[in-house]
Structures are given as structure tokens and as C-alpha cells.
Amino acid sequence: MRNLKEGDTNMGVSKFGLGRNFLARAEHDSDIIDFVTDFAKENGVMTAIFTAIGALKYAKLGFYDQEGHEYLETSLSSPQEIASCLGNVSIREAKPFVHAHAVLVDSKGNTNAGHLLEGKVFAAEIHIFELVGKTVVRKNDTVTGLFLWDI
Amino acid sequence: MRNLKEGDTNMGVSKFGLGRNFLARAEHDSDIIDFVTDFAKENGVMTAIFTAIGALKYAKLGFYDQEGHEYLETSLSSPQEIASCLGNVSIREAKPFVHAHAVLVDSKGNTNAGHLLEGKVFAAEIHIFELVGKTVVRKNDTVTGLFLWDI
Amino acid sequence: MRNLKEGDTNMGVSKFGLGRNFLARAEHDSDIIDFVTDFAKENGVMTAIFTAIGALKYAKLGFYDQEGHEYLETSLSSPQEIASCLGNVSIREAKPFVHAHAVLVDSKGNTNAGHLLEGKVFAAEIHIFELVGKTVVRKNDTVTGLFLWDI
């Protein structure tokens, strides 16, 4: 991994330059994943990382079954604080694709966490940090069954 | 949202340039929210995002009641690891204002999460990333009852 | 803390310039802490912050006993989603050292969180953001018993 230059790839690591930075107030009643996906598509954001805090009206989380290679889904029908949301944008099937994980908490203090599949926005503050360089494409990985970065 | 330029605003998104970066060792026994707020005020940080990890002696978390439009507060009187803290700095009532969410965990492994209202620092490592551009002002939003970014 | 310049230190805060940015697909079956540590060593990354999402085959978390000044460790032998991982790289005993906290969740939805001591990678996407400036060295702090940043 030594002496990586911008765009170089070696052992699953790529180097990037710094792109545009955005703060977003996600639209009330939008889906947070769709919001970031649409923003990336409309602004030509190919690669980015993002963070979000706020609250959701309801959400759907996934847990990936490492043996069965399928997502177990949990729907949370009650309001949730977004205690944390970390995600990224890369390219899948030639389009910007959002991958995000979140930690949510309900009014009783029960914490729920995992892969954020859906989240209806009550209010959300998002920081999107574009990275520029090699295009990061997701390809099917036979070991995990996941679409992982081909870097 | 297409073709956003620095300082442009459209549909709740603003573009920013990259400002100063700081690492901070928050003072033992300080309040972590006050620490970041005071740092921002003293260094003229108007807009920033930050992350923190570490531990708190005790903390107060909030959950926003989306129907009642008020915060339900939970005081945690025992030591907590800061498993995650994501926050931002913007302007409210003409002063830098900190908004932070956290995931905490106690000695028994119980996870607590939400809006971080107070946190007495045992030790904390904070990364503050200033963003420069349009001033981001919080204004009361009638739909949610929250002071949201007017962008 | 006013008027901090790059490399200046005052009250536990240092200012940094922006260094290299990397996205990494952590190697399947590697240890995530070792992966980031080795990457930092091999690429001369002295100071950095990083985030990660993905999944682990198993993990070990720590909770620091603020009275007894020792880590209580919990081994998680089942698969876990990395709902959040926030960490940093600084220098301890003359070498790059990784400090990371994580929020994990198992297939039953039970959330586990704390200091991430070990984590066997199923799949993980990591963003490493190098900071350049003053070398940040960890030194033993007698108040907490921890090796804290000497800034």
C-alpha cells in the first residue's frame, strides 16, 4: 500500500482529491436515502462520504445474514432520533448509489441500528463531502454476496 | 439542485469551501457541548461539522416528541463511553450554536442514544472541520417546531 | 484558544492542514484495527481521522472503568453490523496508533457499543482523512490513566 498516488489502486485502497462540500436540510417527508441519491445524481456526485443527524418518522433497517447472504429487514413504525448516520456514495449499475448505516433511538430509549434501507425524514442535517479521483464501482463479491467497491 | 456554486442555495442545500481543521482534547470535567461552543465563539467558527469519541462522567440526552414538539430528557448519572458523537456548528440568535447527537454506552453494556444536551467530559477527542461560505442561520420551522437551517 | 495558526497549540487544541484522502475496502478476514494501523504505517500517515461502516464476523469491545482505570472487555462471538465506527490515528510509542469506537448490532437487533479493540472483517468501507501539521503524540495522563493527546 506504500506510496499511493491519487487514483492509484492497490490492495483495496484508492486515494482521492477533495471535492465539493454541501450541507443539506433534508426535505420533511422525503426518504433520506432517496434524498441523498437524488442529490448525487442531480449534482454529478460520483464519490462522496456523508454524515447525518436528525429524526425520522419511521425507518427500515437491514442486517446482512453473513451465512445466508440475504438482508433481514426490520421496520420501525414509530418516530426515531437519528443518533448517527454514516454513509457513502459510489457507482452501482452506472448510477450514484447510497450506502448508509444508522443508529436510531425511539421515545422509550430503545436503540435500533444497522443498514439504513429507508427513513422518512422528520428533520435531518446532512454533510456531504465529495471525493474526486478514480470512479468507485460496486461489483458483486462472491465471498460475501455483497456489491463491494472494486478498488 | 443542479450546478450549485459556493454559497448558492436551492432546495435546502448550500455549498461550502473547506476551512480550518482542529483536533481537540476536551478538558477533563468540562461540558462537551460548552467546550465546542466556546471554541467556536473564541475562534470565529461560524459553520462546522465535528465528530467525537471518548468517555463522559454523566450525560443528558434528549428525544424530540414529533407530535408534542418538545424534548423528552433522560439523565444518565453513570459513566458512559462516547461510542459516537456527530455534530455541527451553525448560527442561532447571532451566535455559534452546537447541535450534536450521540450514542453512549454504560458499564453494563446498555446503549443510550439521542440528542446530546449535556456531557461531563472524562476524556474526549474531537475533530472540528470548519466550512466557509454562506452563513447558516437556524430559524424556527413551524412544521417541526425545531430551529432548522435556513438554507 | 483565539487565533490558532497551523501547528499552534493552546488549551488542548491543534490546527491542521488537509492531507491525503483514502477510501479502503478492508480485506475480508483482516482485523479492522490492524488494517487501519498497517495502512497508516505503510503510507506514513501520522495523523488522521476515519469512519467505517460494514460488518464484522466477531468483535471485542472495551468499556473504560473511570474509577479503576482499566478496560472491561466484552467479546461478541456472533456476526455484527458496524452501524458506526469513528476513529483516529495519532502517535504512541513512536508509531501510528489507532483509537476507534464503534456501535455494533447483532442479528437479533441487540446493540453493542464501546471502544473497538478487535473486529474480524466480513466487509468494511473505510474513509481515512489525513491531517498534516504538528505530530500528535499520546502520553499517559495521570488524571484518567489514559494515553491522551499531548496537544
Side-chain angles (χ1 to χ4, degrees):
Chain A
M1 290 183 282
R2 196 178 303 276
N3 292 330
L4 280 175
K5 291 188 188 65
E6 199 164 309
D8 275 11
T9 293
N10 194 0
M11 290 184 65
V13 183
S14 275
K15 188 176 167 190
F16 294 86
L18 303 176
R20 295 167 288 173
N21 267 251
F22 305 96
L23 292 180
R25 186 191 71 240
E27 206 170 354
H28 188 76
D29 281 336
S30 67
D31 178 80
I32 193 167
I33 301 297
D34 290 345
F35 181 88
V36 179
T37 304
D38 291 349
F39 179 78
K41 286 179 181 170
E42 289 168 16
N43 288 280
V45 176
M46 309 284 276
T47 313
I49 55 126
F50 67 92
T51 59
I53 56 176
L56 300 174
K57 292 184 169 184
Y58 53 81
K60 188 185 285 183
L61 292 172
F63 177 92
Y64 190 70
D65 177 347
Q66 298 179 11
E67 297 289 331
H69 287 192
E70 59 178 356
Y71 278 101
L72 311 176
E73 297 183 3
T74 303
S75 288
L76 303 167
S77 57
S78 63
Q80 308 280 327
E81 294 281 320
I82 306 169
S84 165
C85 180
L86 301 179
N88 57 58
V89 177
S90 56
I91 301 299
R92 182 169 167 177
E93 293 168 0
K95 291 177 197 158
F97 175 84
V98 167
H99 180 207
H101 281 205
V103 184
L104 308 175
V105 59
D106 67 19
S107 65
K108 289 171 185 161
N110 295 315
T111 307
N112 301 290
H115 181 111
L116 186 61
L117 295 163
E118 297 175 14
K120 181 86 150 184
V121 171
F122 180 75
E125 297 172 353
I126 309 177
H127 172 236
I128 300 171
F129 196 152
E130 183 184 36
L131 299 173
V132 291
K134 179 183 166 69
T135 302
V136 180
V137 177
R138 292 188 178 276
K139 288 195 179 164
N140 186 256
D141 172 65
T142 52
V143 174
T144 60
L146 292 168
F147 281 76
L148 299 183
W149 290 339
D150 183 31
I151 53 176
Chain B
M1 290 182 281
R2 196 179 302 278
N3 292 327
L4 279 174
K5 292 188 188 63
E6 201 164 305
D8 275 11
T9 293
N10 193 359
M11 289 184 65
V13 183
S14 275
K15 188 177 166 191
F16 294 86
L18 304 176
R20 295 167 290 172
N21 267 250
F22 305 96
L23 292 180
R25 187 189 70 241
E27 207 171 354
H28 187 76
D29 281 335
S30 67
D31 178 80
I32 193 168
I33 301 296
D34 289 346
F35 181 89
V36 179
T37 305
D38 291 349
F39 178 79
K41 287 179 181 170
E42 289 168 17
N43 288 279
V45 175
M46 308 282 276
T47 313
I49 54 125
F50 68 93
T51 59
I53 56 175
L56 300 173
K57 294 183 169 185
Y58 52 81
K60 189 185 286 184
L61 292 172
F63 178 93
Y64 190 70
D65 177 348
Q66 297 179 13
E67 296 289 329
H69 287 194
E70 60 179 355
Y71 277 102
L72 311 176
E73 296 184 3
T74 303
S75 288
L76 303 166
S77 57
S78 62
Q80 307 280 328
E81 294 282 321
I82 306 170
S84 164
C85 180
L86 301 178
N88 57 57
V89 177
S90 56
I91 301 299
R92 181 169 168 178
E93 293 168 1
K95 292 176 196 160
F97 174 84
V98 167
H99 179 207
H101 282 205
V103 183
L104 309 175
V105 58
D106 67 19
S107 65
K108 289 172 185 161
N110 295 314
T111 307
N112 301 289
H115 182 111
L116 185 61
L117 294 163
E118 296 176 14
K120 184 85 152 182
V121 171
F122 180 75
E125 297 173 354
I126 309 176
H127 173 236
I128 301 170
F129 196 151
E130 182 184 37
L131 299 173
V132 293
K134 178 183 165 72
T135 302
V136 180
V137 177
R138 290 188 179 276
K139 288 195 180 165
N140 188 255
D141 172 64
T142 52
V143 174
T144 60
L146 293 167
F147 281 76
L148 300 182
W149 291 340
D150 184 30
I151 55 179
Chain C
M1 290 184 280
R2 196 179 302 276
N3 292 328
L4 280 174
K5 291 186 188 66
E6 200 163 309
D8 275 10
T9 293
N10 193 359
M11 290 185 64
V13 182
S14 274
K15 188 178 166 189
F16 294 87
L18 303 177
R20 294 167 289 173
N21 268 251
F22 305 97
L23 292 181
R25 187 190 70 239
E27 206 170 354
H28 188 76
D29 281 337
S30 68
D31 178 81
I32 194 167
I33 302 297
D34 290 347
F35 181 89
V36 179
T37 304
D38 291 349
F39 178 79
K41 286 179 181 169
E42 288 167 18
N43 287 280
V45 176
M46 310 283 276
T47 313
I49 54 126
F50 67 93
T51 58
I53 57 174
L56 300 173
K57 292 183 169 185
Y58 53 81
K60 189 184 284 183
L61 292 173
F63 178 91
Y64 190 70
D65 177 348
Q66 298 179 11
E67 297 290 329
H69 287 193
E70 60 180 355
Y71 277 100
L72 312 175
E73 296 183 4
T74 302
S75 288
L76 303 167
S77 58
S78 62
Q80 306 280 327
E81 294 282 321
I82 307 170
S84 165
C85 180
L86 301 178
N88 57 57
V89 177
S90 57
I91 301 299
R92 181 168 168 178
E93 293 167 3
K95 290 175 197 160
F97 174 85
V98 167
H99 179 207
H101 281 205
V103 183
L104 308 175
V105 59
D106 67 20
S107 65
K108 289 172 187 161
N110 295 314
T111 307
N112 301 289
H115 182 111
L116 185 61
L117 294 164
E118 296 176 15
K120 182 85 149 183
V121 171
F122 179 75
E125 297 172 353
I126 309 177
H127 172 236
I128 301 171
F129 195 151
E130 182 184 38
L131 299 173
V132 292
K134 179 183 166 71
T135 303
V136 179
V137 178
R138 290 188 178 276
K139 289 195 178 164
N140 187 255
D141 172 64
T142 52
V143 174
T144 60
L146 292 167
F147 281 77
L148 299 183
W149 290 340
D150 184 31
I151 54 180

